[in-house]
Amino acid sequence: MKHRPFGTSGIPGWLNRYEPLLLVMFAALSGGILLFIYLTGEVLEGSTKGFDEAILLALRQPGDLSVPIGPGWLTHAVKDITSLGGTTVLALMTALVTIYLLFDRQRAIAIFILVSVLGGWALSAVLKVGVARPRPDIVPHLVEVHDLSFPSGHAMVSAVTYLTLAALISGTRTYRSTRVFTVAAGILLTLMIGASRIYLGVHYPTDVLGGWCAGATWALACWIIARRYISLVPNGERSARDDAPPFK
């Protein structure tokens, strides 16, 4: 019987293969949590008020604060972009991706994505209630809003949804180029949606920064868990299972 040397299988083997990456990801996760805690403390103390208001005012016409800077078509485009972070769009996106992965015979990752996204949404709602920061009133809002301000729900929930989807789906792709594109698209959508909330005057910049920080940290935590406990099988490695029942 051939004995495998210690560290080539099981948990020791996994640590030997992924220890450097694991340490980097754990450091990033810890940094994200600490940054969010620090930012929340500054917001509660009111230390960010001057910074927030200066940016909001800089994005409006000095003679009429109801008019944002830039051409008229830009406001319309920003409103379209911000809708990509709405609950309806994100719920539809998550449902479609989950169903696609089920048909693609990736049941474990499909269920994990659904749970991860719903958990992130719940965390966003809890954080809003906990901080209870009112919406900015220094400039008129260009879209209708009703809930609290910190962290930005659009920024956080879009980060939770798009970054989690991008990170986990990229693990099922065969080619490096498609993995990089998937993650880059998730990051781009997250940044655009968050920036749109500031432009429309419905969030302070620190609301959006807090949303990005919390959402990205949540997505990173989900990615670490998935990498350790869920088998992400690239498309090209599943040809042997093509004839298996899709939901078995």
Side-chain angles (χ1 to χ4, degrees), residues 77-150:
V78 170
K79 288 181 179 179
D80 288 341
I81 290 171
T82 207
S83 67
L84 296 176
T87 303
T88 302
V89 173
L90 293 178
L92 181 61
M93 177 74 67
T94 302
L96 290 175
V97 170
T98 301
I99 293 170
Y100 169 80
L101 289 173
L102 288 174
F103 281 117
D104 199 41
R105 303 170 191 178
Q106 299 269 8
R107 183 170 61 180
I109 194 63
I111 295 173
F112 185 77
I113 282 177
L114 183 61
V115 172
S116 299
V117 170
L118 293 179
W121 292 3
L123 177 62
S124 175
V126 170
L127 291 174
K128 274 184 175 289
V129 174
V131 177
R133 186 188 199 183
R135 294 276 182 170
D137 56 7
I138 189 172
V139 296
H141 300 164
L142 300 184
V143 292
E144 189 176 355
V145 289
H146 302 286
D147 57 352
L148 297 169
S149 195
F150 184 92

Side-chain angles (χ1 to χ4, degrees), residues 48-79:
T48 64
K49 183 178 180 181
F51 167 78
D52 284 326
E53 293 184 350
I55 292 181
L56 288 177
L57 290 173
L59 295 174
R60 297 301 173 95
Q61 299 289 350
D64 187 355
L65 295 181
S66 66
V67 180
I69 60 173
W73 60 262
L74 180 60
T75 302
H76 180 75
V78 170
K79 288 181 179 179

